[in-house]
Amino acid sequence: MMRWLFFLPLVVFAVLVGLWFWGLNPNRDPNALPSQLINKELPAFALPALEGSGSPALARSDLSDGQVKLINFFASWCVPCRAEHPHLETLAKETSLPIHGIAWRDEPAATLAWLQNLGNPYTRIGVDQKNTVGLDFGITGVPETFIIDAKGRVRYRHQGPLDPRIINTVITPLVQALRREAEEAS
Amino acid sequence: MIRALSDKFSALRLALAVALSLFAGLASLPACSVEPDEVLPDAQQEALAREISKQLRCVVCQNQSIDDSDASIAKDMRLKVRELVVQGQDEQSIKSYFVERYGNYVLLRPPFDASTALLWLMPLILLAVAAIGIAVALMRRQKTLKNNTEAPLSAEEQDRLEALLHEESKS
């Protein structure tokens, strides 16, 4: 008994070291909020179009068209969105992946000016000025990007701006996998 | 002259006391971020909405309830709470509306389930460990006390002890 107790501090210390290693892991993000929508159907919504953008409106029914697509929440007042924007442009130009935009808590005139200035990578644009659809998506801020599969279910959510690393290591492989999945199913 | 001065001082003191108590009264009002245009006309519904808002975490400010937070998304959530209250939903269904979208994270008081069992039970576990530790220590001490009680002195030893004590008191 006594001899066992003698090692107890060592055992406690080892457990703590394990916890510290887990806690200090640079890949662990304690602020990450996993999306509740993964693998679930999105709730019904229909957002108005952005007048003058040339992109049609976005509704829930546009998402189950058998294509894999991105939904990107953005706003003209959002600085990281500006950083992300050229990468969305590249994706839209160089791939066949549809990118739908949701203008979140933004004045339509400001959104339009922003897109005219920087370019419009979006296939469809929905205007969500009052954050009604944003709440349904569990948005905590902009930018946020969702990968939607062929059946209109959310398969992945990225919080924060997309960059080439995320696009090449996460987005593109997942989109390809989902496309294969859709082909096999049909 | 002195009389007039002291009168002036007492008036000043009174004013200061009034100002201070007013300030203290204001400061002790509960801090909240509900803006006047958000408040529901029905006082009972508003009270329910406030009660629910206090239990929901603002998703961008981590340790504030949406009732306390000035973040724009917290305002959206407060308005949603009020919209659902007006629709006649009860507290539980409004909370689950937000849990469906943001997960248990959105509740300031985590529910008891498999992932939070350790958190909720830790005080009881620590209490039990401490109780066991104290009981073991007490039992061990009693045992050593019992072992240490030695046999009483024999008559011979008693005589020797007395002789020694006697000798000491003499010198």
Side-chain angles (χ1 to χ4, degrees), chain B residues 33-86:
Chain B
S33 300
V34 181
E35 286 161 38
D37 61 326
E38 296 174 19
V39 175
L40 294 174
D42 184 322
Q44 215 178 336
Q45 287 184 339
E46 175 64 21
L48 176 62
R50 290 291 306 276
E51 192 47 50
I52 297 169
S53 301
K54 279 178 194 154
Q55 299 172 47
L56 293 176
R57 186 200 301 266
C58 163
V59 288
V60 292
C61 19
Q62 316 251 330
N63 288 323
Q64 273 186 315
S65 70
I66 58 170
D67 194 59
D68 288 334
S69 171
D70 284 320
S72 54
I73 192 159
K75 183 186 167 98
D76 295 341
M77 289 166 78
R78 283 198 299 271
L79 288 173
K80 192 75 199 178
V81 167
R82 280 163 177 75
E83 188 189 318
L84 297 175
V85 165
V86 170

Side-chain angles (χ1 to χ4, degrees), chain A residues 9-171:
Chain A
L10 204 67
V11 172
V12 170
F13 181 70
V15 169
L16 280 178
V17 166
L19 262 177
W20 290 328
F21 264 100
W22 172 78
L24 290 172
N25 177 3
N27 293 323
R28 190 184 81 97
D29 179 4
N31 294 321
L33 253 175
S35 174
Q36 300 299 308
L37 282 172
I38 300 296
N39 294 334
K40 280 193 206 147
E41 294 271 337
L42 280 168
F45 69 88
L47 288 172
L50 181 65
E51 296 282 334
S53 66
S55 303
L58 181 66
R60 167 71 184 82
S61 50
D62 299 319
L63 300 175
S64 38
D65 59 354
Q67 264 191 311
V68 180
K69 58 194 78 65
L70 297 188
I71 292 186
N72 175 248
F73 281 78
F74 71 102
S76 66
W77 48 262
C78 146
V79 178
C81 299
R82 189 171 279 262
E84 166 187 80
H85 196 270
H87 306 307
L88 289 178
E89 287 275 284
T90 313
L91 257 184
K93 276 191 195 121
E94 292 177 3
T95 69
S96 56
L97 179 68
I99 306 172
H100 299 317
I102 294 182
W104 189 72
R105 293 185 65 98
D106 199 10
E107 287 293 327
T111 316
L112 188 61
W114 195 73
L115 289 176
Q116 279 167 347
N117 186 16
L118 296 173
N120 179 0
Y122 301 114
T123 311
R124 289 175 176 274
I125 296 178
V127 176
D128 186 19
Q129 236 179 311
K130 295 242 158 123
N131 188 16
T132 49
V133 174
L135 276 185
D136 280 339
F137 274 78
I139 289 289
T140 60
V142 274
E144 276 193 27
T145 305
F146 295 79
I147 300 181
I148 313 288
D149 72 7
K151 288 182 179 154
R153 288 173 306 189
V154 171
R155 299 300 285 269
Y156 184 79
R157 188 257 299 258
H158 177 75
Q159 288 178 300
L162 294 175
D163 56 35
R165 191 182 66 86
I166 297 284
I167 290 173
N168 293 330
T169 59
V170 181
I171 306 289

Side-chain angles (χ1 to χ4, degrees), chain B residues 7 9-10 43 49 51 64 67 72 77 107 116 119 125 127 151:
Chain B
D7 272 357
F9 270 127
S10 67
E51 192 47 50
Q64 273 186 315
D67 194 59
S72 54
M77 289 166 78
L107 300 175
T116 57
L119 175 74
I125 294 170
L127 200 69

